[in-house]
Amino acid sequence: MGDCIFCKIIKGDIPSKKIYEDEFVYAFYDINPEAPTHFLVIPKEHIESVNMLNEKNINVISHIFKTIKKLAKELGISEKGYRIVNNCGEDGGQTVNHMHFHVLGGRNLKWPPG
Ligand code: 5GP
Ligand code: ZN
């Protein structure tokens, strides 16, 4: 998608602090961290939100969660725990329309969110 900032990050047109990438996913640190560890995991395919998941693209979700598990361990937040957040649509607080999963850790997170 031409004007999608996350597609541009995947292509390298916008710089990012990359943690991991493979054929299907890209993981990088959030530019505005809300926790000592805050990174995003996104599919390389431009999928706008969870609302756009279908039989053809749904497999990327298991790949994203496998990646989250692996990176959480590597970054040292597995044991104490972390939070995975997906904001979907306007009321969900989604500001970038390329589906992404936030992973937050390194501090005790409050619940419920605002
Ligand atoms: P949302 O509010 O859509 O769930 O989350 C979007 C996230 O993307 C925000 O936490 C925001 O800080 C992050 N973000 C927006 N633009 C950029 C960028 O250019 N680079 C990086 N690394 N993160 C970004
Ligand atoms: Zn995109």
PDB file of all heavy atoms in Angstrom, residues 5-6 9 14-17 28-33 38 40 86-87 93-97 100 102, ligand 1:
ATOM      1  N   ILE A   5       2.651   3.694   6.400  1.00  0.00           N
ATOM      2  CA  ILE A   5       3.981   3.866   7.012  1.00  0.00           C
ATOM      3  C   ILE A   5       4.606   2.520   7.404  1.00  0.00           C
ATOM      4  O   ILE A   5       5.818   2.381   7.329  1.00  0.00           O
ATOM      5  CB  ILE A   5       3.973   4.840   8.227  1.00  0.00           C
ATOM      6  CG1 ILE A   5       3.024   4.418   9.323  1.00  0.00           C
ATOM      7  CG2 ILE A   5       3.698   6.258   7.776  1.00  0.00           C
ATOM      8  CD1 ILE A   5       3.206   5.235  10.597  1.00  0.00           C
ATOM      9  N   PHE A   6       3.793   1.560   7.803  1.00  0.00           N
ATOM     10  CA  PHE A   6       4.384   0.271   8.182  1.00  0.00           C
ATOM     11  C   PHE A   6       4.874  -0.493   6.938  1.00  0.00           C
ATOM     12  O   PHE A   6       5.903  -1.187   7.011  1.00  0.00           O
ATOM     13  CB  PHE A   6       3.415  -0.556   9.024  1.00  0.00           C
ATOM     14  CG  PHE A   6       3.291  -0.062  10.454  1.00  0.00           C
ATOM     15  CD1 PHE A   6       2.432  -0.691  11.349  1.00  0.00           C
ATOM     16  CD2 PHE A   6       4.031   1.023  10.921  1.00  0.00           C
ATOM     17  CE1 PHE A   6       2.315  -0.250  12.678  1.00  0.00           C
ATOM     18  CE2 PHE A   6       3.923   1.476  12.234  1.00  0.00           C
ATOM     19  CZ  PHE A   6       3.060   0.838  13.121  1.00  0.00           C
ATOM     20  N   ILE A   9       8.169   0.984   6.350  1.00  0.00           N
ATOM     21  CA  ILE A   9       9.155   0.465   7.311  1.00  0.00           C
ATOM     22  C   ILE A   9       9.650  -0.910   6.863  1.00  0.00           C
ATOM     23  O   ILE A   9      10.849  -1.187   6.870  1.00  0.00           O
ATOM     24  CB  ILE A   9       8.554   0.442   8.739  1.00  0.00           C
ATOM     25  CG1 ILE A   9       8.559   1.883   9.305  1.00  0.00           C
ATOM     26  CG2 ILE A   9       9.302  -0.523   9.651  1.00  0.00           C
ATOM     27  CD1 ILE A   9       7.891   2.043  10.652  1.00  0.00           C
ATOM     28  N   ILE A  14      11.372   3.878   5.418  1.00  0.00           N
ATOM     29  CA  ILE A  14      11.379   4.627   6.689  1.00  0.00           C
ATOM     30  C   ILE A  14      12.238   3.798   7.642  1.00  0.00           C
ATOM     31  O   ILE A  14      12.010   2.586   7.769  1.00  0.00           O
ATOM     32  CB  ILE A  14       9.948   4.806   7.255  1.00  0.00           C
ATOM     33  CG1 ILE A  14       9.106   5.699   6.338  1.00  0.00           C
ATOM     34  CG2 ILE A  14       9.985   5.389   8.668  1.00  0.00           C
ATOM     35  CD1 ILE A  14       7.654   5.855   6.789  1.00  0.00           C
ATOM     36  N   PRO A  15      13.235   4.417   8.299  1.00  0.00           N
ATOM     37  CA  PRO A  15      14.094   3.630   9.193  1.00  0.00           C
ATOM     38  C   PRO A  15      13.351   3.142  10.435  1.00  0.00           C
ATOM     39  O   PRO A  15      12.395   3.793  10.894  1.00  0.00           O
ATOM     40  CB  PRO A  15      15.207   4.607   9.577  1.00  0.00           C
ATOM     41  CG  PRO A  15      14.722   5.959   9.229  1.00  0.00           C
ATOM     42  CD  PRO A  15      13.634   5.833   8.210  1.00  0.00           C
ATOM     43  N   SER A  16      13.771   2.003  10.951  1.00  0.00           N
ATOM     44  CA  SER A  16      13.181   1.485  12.192  1.00  0.00           C
ATOM     45  C   SER A  16      14.250   0.691  12.926  1.00  0.00           C
ATOM     46  O   SER A  16      15.251   0.290  12.336  1.00  0.00           O
ATOM     47  CB  SER A  16      11.990   0.567  11.879  1.00  0.00           C
ATOM     48  OG  SER A  16      12.433  -0.613  11.235  1.00  0.00           O
ATOM     49  N   LYS A  17      14.023   0.486  14.216  1.00  0.00           N
ATOM     50  CA  LYS A  17      14.926  -0.358  15.006  1.00  0.00           C
ATOM     51  C   LYS A  17      14.404  -1.784  14.921  1.00  0.00           C
ATOM     52  O   LYS A  17      13.588  -2.216  15.731  1.00  0.00           O
ATOM     53  CB  LYS A  17      14.978   0.141  16.464  1.00  0.00           C
ATOM     54  CG  LYS A  17      15.863   1.395  16.616  1.00  0.00           C
ATOM     55  CD  LYS A  17      15.769   2.000  17.996  1.00  0.00           C
ATOM     56  CE  LYS A  17      16.473   1.185  19.056  1.00  0.00           C
ATOM     57  NZ  LYS A  17      16.311   1.792  20.417  1.00  0.00           N
ATOM     58  N   PHE A  28       9.759  -4.679  15.249  1.00  0.00           N
ATOM     59  CA  PHE A  28      10.593  -3.490  15.469  1.00  0.00           C
ATOM     60  C   PHE A  28      10.105  -2.747  16.709  1.00  0.00           C
ATOM     61  O   PHE A  28       8.953  -2.900  17.131  1.00  0.00           O
ATOM     62  CB  PHE A  28      10.547  -2.570  14.239  1.00  0.00           C
ATOM     63  CG  PHE A  28       9.175  -2.094  13.837  1.00  0.00           C
ATOM     64  CD1 PHE A  28       8.788  -0.769  14.024  1.00  0.00           C
ATOM     65  CD2 PHE A  28       8.240  -2.965  13.280  1.00  0.00           C
ATOM     66  CE1 PHE A  28       7.516  -0.326  13.657  1.00  0.00           C
ATOM     67  CE2 PHE A  28       6.974  -2.532  12.908  1.00  0.00           C
ATOM     68  CZ  PHE A  28       6.618  -1.214  13.101  1.00  0.00           C
ATOM     69  N   TYR A  29      11.009  -1.940  17.273  1.00  0.00           N
ATOM     70  CA  TYR A  29      10.652  -1.195  18.480  1.00  0.00           C
ATOM     71  C   TYR A  29       9.695  -0.054  18.150  1.00  0.00           C
ATOM     72  O   TYR A  29       9.863   0.649  17.148  1.00  0.00           O
ATOM     73  CB  TYR A  29      11.907  -0.643  19.155  1.00  0.00           C
ATOM     74  CG  TYR A  29      12.693  -1.712  19.873  1.00  0.00           C
ATOM     75  CD1 TYR A  29      13.882  -2.191  19.336  1.00  0.00           C
ATOM     76  CD2 TYR A  29      12.233  -2.263  21.069  1.00  0.00           C
ATOM     77  CE1 TYR A  29      14.604  -3.192  19.983  1.00  0.00           C
ATOM     78  CE2 TYR A  29      12.951  -3.259  21.716  1.00  0.00           C
ATOM     79  CZ  TYR A  29      14.132  -3.716  21.170  1.00  0.00           C
ATOM     80  OH  TYR A  29      14.827  -4.713  21.810  1.00  0.00           O
ATOM     81  N   ASP A  30       8.697   0.151  19.022  1.00  0.00           N
ATOM     82  CA  ASP A  30       7.774   1.267  18.874  1.00  0.00           C
ATOM     83  C   ASP A  30       8.542   2.583  19.069  1.00  0.00           C
ATOM     84  O   ASP A  30       9.369   2.703  19.980  1.00  0.00           O
ATOM     85  CB  ASP A  30       6.634   1.156  19.903  1.00  0.00           C
ATOM     86  CG  ASP A  30       5.446   2.028  19.547  1.00  0.00           C
ATOM     87  OD1 ASP A  30       5.582   3.276  19.584  1.00  0.00           O
ATOM     88  OD2 ASP A  30       4.380   1.472  19.218  1.00  0.00           O
ATOM     89  N   ILE A  31       8.244   3.564  18.246  1.00  0.00           N
ATOM     90  CA  ILE A  31       8.939   4.849  18.296  1.00  0.00           C
ATOM     91  C   ILE A  31       8.592   5.626  19.572  1.00  0.00           C
ATOM     92  O   ILE A  31       9.366   6.485  20.019  1.00  0.00           O
ATOM     93  CB  ILE A  31       8.593   5.671  17.018  1.00  0.00           C
ATOM     94  CG1 ILE A  31       9.685   6.681  16.691  1.00  0.00           C
ATOM     95  CG2 ILE A  31       7.228   6.325  17.106  1.00  0.00           C
ATOM     96  CD1 ILE A  31       9.561   7.285  15.296  1.00  0.00           C
ATOM     97  N   ASN A  32       7.462   5.296  20.155  1.00  0.00           N
ATOM     98  CA  ASN A  32       6.981   6.020  21.344  1.00  0.00           C
ATOM     99  C   ASN A  32       6.646   5.000  22.440  1.00  0.00           C
ATOM    100  O   ASN A  32       5.479   4.730  22.717  1.00  0.00           O
ATOM    101  CB  ASN A  32       5.751   6.847  20.934  1.00  0.00           C
ATOM    102  CG  ASN A  32       5.246   7.718  22.054  1.00  0.00           C
ATOM    103  OD1 ASN A  32       5.980   8.023  22.997  1.00  0.00           O
ATOM    104  ND2 ASN A  32       3.988   8.113  21.960  1.00  0.00           N
ATOM    105  N   PRO A  33       7.692   4.418  23.068  1.00  0.00           N
ATOM    106  CA  PRO A  33       7.446   3.274  23.961  1.00  0.00           C
ATOM    107  C   PRO A  33       6.625   3.612  25.204  1.00  0.00           C
ATOM    108  O   PRO A  33       6.825   4.648  25.825  1.00  0.00           O
ATOM    109  CB  PRO A  33       8.868   2.828  24.349  1.00  0.00           C
ATOM    110  CG  PRO A  33       9.763   3.972  24.057  1.00  0.00           C
ATOM    111  CD  PRO A  33       9.120   4.762  22.965  1.00  0.00           C
ATOM    112  N   HIS A  38       8.914  -2.311  24.441  1.00  0.00           N
ATOM    113  CA  HIS A  38       7.683  -2.114  23.665  1.00  0.00           C
ATOM    114  C   HIS A  38       8.035  -2.268  22.195  1.00  0.00           C
ATOM    115  O   HIS A  38       8.695  -1.423  21.603  1.00  0.00           O
ATOM    116  CB  HIS A  38       7.095  -0.713  23.930  1.00  0.00           C
ATOM    117  CG  HIS A  38       5.794  -0.452  23.212  1.00  0.00           C
ATOM    118  ND1 HIS A  38       5.102   0.737  23.344  1.00  0.00           N
ATOM    119  CD2 HIS A  38       5.047  -1.211  22.367  1.00  0.00           C
ATOM    120  CE1 HIS A  38       3.999   0.696  22.623  1.00  0.00           C
ATOM    121  NE2 HIS A  38       3.942  -0.479  22.011  1.00  0.00           N
ATOM    122  N   LEU A  40       6.606  -3.922  18.194  1.00  0.00           N
ATOM    123  CA  LEU A  40       5.449  -4.221  17.354  1.00  0.00           C
ATOM    124  C   LEU A  40       5.797  -5.389  16.438  1.00  0.00           C
ATOM    125  O   LEU A  40       6.930  -5.468  15.942  1.00  0.00           O
ATOM    126  CB  LEU A  40       5.089  -3.009  16.487  1.00  0.00           C
ATOM    127  CG  LEU A  40       4.801  -1.696  17.218  1.00  0.00           C
ATOM    128  CD1 LEU A  40       4.671  -0.545  16.212  1.00  0.00           C
ATOM    129  CD2 LEU A  40       3.513  -1.807  18.036  1.00  0.00           C
ATOM    130  N   ASN A  86      -3.723  -5.618  20.549  1.00  0.00           N
ATOM    131  CA  ASN A  86      -4.090  -5.258  19.183  1.00  0.00           C
ATOM    132  C   ASN A  86      -5.226  -4.251  19.246  1.00  0.00           C
ATOM    133  O   ASN A  86      -6.301  -4.540  19.777  1.00  0.00           O
ATOM    134  CB  ASN A  86      -4.536  -6.486  18.383  1.00  0.00           C
ATOM    135  CG  ASN A  86      -5.127  -6.077  17.035  1.00  0.00           C
ATOM    136  OD1 ASN A  86      -6.350  -6.068  16.858  1.00  0.00           O
ATOM    137  ND2 ASN A  86      -4.279  -5.703  16.114  1.00  0.00           N
ATOM    138  N   ASN A  87      -4.979  -3.059  18.732  1.00  0.00           N
ATOM    139  CA  ASN A  87      -6.024  -2.054  18.637  1.00  0.00           C
ATOM    140  C   ASN A  87      -6.669  -2.184  17.267  1.00  0.00           C
ATOM    141  O   ASN A  87      -5.971  -2.168  16.251  1.00  0.00           O
ATOM    142  CB  ASN A  87      -5.429  -0.657  18.819  1.00  0.00           C
ATOM    143  CG  ASN A  87      -4.834  -0.475  20.206  1.00  0.00           C
ATOM    144  OD1 ASN A  87      -5.348  -1.022  21.180  1.00  0.00           O
ATOM    145  ND2 ASN A  87      -3.756   0.283  20.305  1.00  0.00           N
ATOM    146  N   GLY A  93      -8.771   2.374  19.072  1.00  0.00           N
ATOM    147  CA  GLY A  93      -7.585   3.224  19.196  1.00  0.00           C
ATOM    148  C   GLY A  93      -6.522   2.945  18.156  1.00  0.00           C
ATOM    149  O   GLY A  93      -5.355   3.312  18.329  1.00  0.00           O
ATOM    150  N   GLN A  94      -6.917   2.313  17.038  1.00  0.00           N
ATOM    151  CA  GLN A  94      -5.926   2.018  15.985  1.00  0.00           C
ATOM    152  C   GLN A  94      -5.604   3.291  15.218  1.00  0.00           C
ATOM    153  O   GLN A  94      -6.503   3.961  14.694  1.00  0.00           O
ATOM    154  CB  GLN A  94      -6.489   0.958  15.027  1.00  0.00           C
ATOM    155  CG  GLN A  94      -5.484   0.532  13.961  1.00  0.00           C
ATOM    156  CD  GLN A  94      -6.005  -0.613  13.089  1.00  0.00           C
ATOM    157  OE1 GLN A  94      -7.156  -1.059  13.235  1.00  0.00           O
ATOM    158  NE2 GLN A  94      -5.163  -1.085  12.182  1.00  0.00           N
ATOM    159  N   THR A  95      -4.311   3.643  15.176  1.00  0.00           N
ATOM    160  CA  THR A  95      -3.897   4.871  14.471  1.00  0.00           C
ATOM    161  C   THR A  95      -3.130   4.568  13.185  1.00  0.00           C
ATOM    162  O   THR A  95      -2.999   5.429  12.335  1.00  0.00           O
ATOM    163  CB  THR A  95      -3.017   5.760  15.379  1.00  0.00           C
ATOM    164  OG1 THR A  95      -1.854   5.033  15.771  1.00  0.00           O
ATOM    165  CG2 THR A  95      -3.772   6.220  16.609  1.00  0.00           C
ATOM    166  N   VAL A  96      -2.596   3.356  13.073  1.00  0.00           N
ATOM    167  CA  VAL A  96      -1.903   2.960  11.836  1.00  0.00           C
ATOM    168  C   VAL A  96      -2.687   1.790  11.244  1.00  0.00           C
ATOM    169  O   VAL A  96      -2.833   0.742  11.895  1.00  0.00           O
ATOM    170  CB  VAL A  96      -0.440   2.551  12.107  1.00  0.00           C
ATOM    171  CG1 VAL A  96       0.229   2.096  10.808  1.00  0.00           C
ATOM    172  CG2 VAL A  96       0.352   3.710  12.727  1.00  0.00           C
ATOM    173  N   ASN A  97      -3.168   1.975  10.022  1.00  0.00           N
ATOM    174  CA  ASN A  97      -4.060   0.982   9.431  1.00  0.00           C
ATOM    175  C   ASN A  97      -3.307  -0.134   8.694  1.00  0.00           C
ATOM    176  O   ASN A  97      -3.583  -0.444   7.532  1.00  0.00           O
ATOM    177  CB  ASN A  97      -5.085   1.664   8.521  1.00  0.00           C
ATOM    178  CG  ASN A  97      -6.077   2.474   9.338  1.00  0.00           C
ATOM    179  OD1 ASN A  97      -6.401   2.126  10.484  1.00  0.00           O
ATOM    180  ND2 ASN A  97      -6.537   3.584   8.788  1.00  0.00           N
ATOM    181  N   HIS A 100      -1.199  -4.621  13.558  1.00  0.00           N
ATOM    182  CA  HIS A 100       0.033  -4.778  14.341  1.00  0.00           C
ATOM    183  C   HIS A 100      -0.307  -5.227  15.747  1.00  0.00           C
ATOM    184  O   HIS A 100      -1.348  -4.880  16.296  1.00  0.00           O
ATOM    185  CB  HIS A 100       0.828  -3.467  14.388  1.00  0.00           C
ATOM    186  CG  HIS A 100       0.018  -2.262  14.758  1.00  0.00           C
ATOM    187  ND1 HIS A 100      -0.789  -1.609  13.837  1.00  0.00           N
ATOM    188  CD2 HIS A 100      -0.136  -1.601  15.926  1.00  0.00           C
ATOM    189  CE1 HIS A 100      -1.402  -0.601  14.439  1.00  0.00           C
ATOM    190  NE2 HIS A 100      -1.037  -0.580  15.704  1.00  0.00           N
ATOM    191  N   HIS A 102       1.123  -5.021  19.537  1.00  0.00           N
ATOM    192  CA  HIS A 102       2.058  -4.420  20.478  1.00  0.00           C
ATOM    193  C   HIS A 102       2.472  -5.502  21.473  1.00  0.00           C
ATOM    194  O   HIS A 102       1.631  -6.289  21.924  1.00  0.00           O
ATOM    195  CB  HIS A 102       1.372  -3.322  21.302  1.00  0.00           C
ATOM    196  CG  HIS A 102       0.874  -2.155  20.521  1.00  0.00           C
ATOM    197  ND1 HIS A 102       1.518  -0.934  20.505  1.00  0.00           N
ATOM    198  CD2 HIS A 102      -0.220  -1.993  19.745  1.00  0.00           C
ATOM    199  CE1 HIS A 102       0.839  -0.076  19.765  1.00  0.00           C
ATOM    200  NE2 HIS A 102      -0.226  -0.685  19.300  1.00  0.00           N
TER     201      HIS A 102
HETATM  202  P1  5GP B   1      -1.907   1.928  17.284  1.00  0.00           P
HETATM  203  O1  5GP B   1      -2.279   3.165  18.026  1.00  0.00           O
HETATM  204  O2  5GP B   1      -2.329   1.997  15.833  1.00  0.00           O
HETATM  205  O3  5GP B   1      -2.322   0.655  17.939  1.00  0.00           O
HETATM  206  O4  5GP B   1      -0.324   1.868  17.323  1.00  0.00           O
HETATM  207  C1  5GP B   1       0.514   2.468  16.411  1.00  0.00           C
HETATM  208  C2  5GP B   1       1.881   2.479  17.044  1.00  0.00           C
HETATM  209  O5  5GP B   1       2.832   2.728  16.042  1.00  0.00           O
HETATM  210  C3  5GP B   1       2.047   3.579  18.088  1.00  0.00           C
HETATM  211  O6  5GP B   1       2.395   2.979  19.340  1.00  0.00           O
HETATM  212  C4  5GP B   1       3.153   4.457  17.533  1.00  0.00           C
HETATM  213  O7  5GP B   1       4.038   4.940  18.515  1.00  0.00           O
HETATM  214  C5  5GP B   1       3.839   3.534  16.558  1.00  0.00           C
HETATM  215  N1  5GP B   1       4.421   4.222  15.421  1.00  0.00           N
HETATM  216  C6  5GP B   1       3.812   5.143  14.618  1.00  0.00           C
HETATM  217  N2  5GP B   1       4.647   5.555  13.658  1.00  0.00           N
HETATM  218  C7  5GP B   1       5.813   4.883  13.848  1.00  0.00           C
HETATM  219  C8  5GP B   1       7.076   4.889  13.155  1.00  0.00           C
HETATM  220  O8  5GP B   1       7.294   5.581  12.173  1.00  0.00           O
HETATM  221  N3  5GP B   1       8.039   4.059  13.650  1.00  0.00           N
HETATM  222  C9  5GP B   1       7.839   3.256  14.751  1.00  0.00           C
HETATM  223  N4  5GP B   1       8.853   2.500  15.146  1.00  0.00           N
HETATM  224  N5  5GP B   1       6.659   3.226  15.406  1.00  0.00           N
HETATM  225  C10 5GP B   1       5.669   4.024  14.960  1.00  0.00           C
END
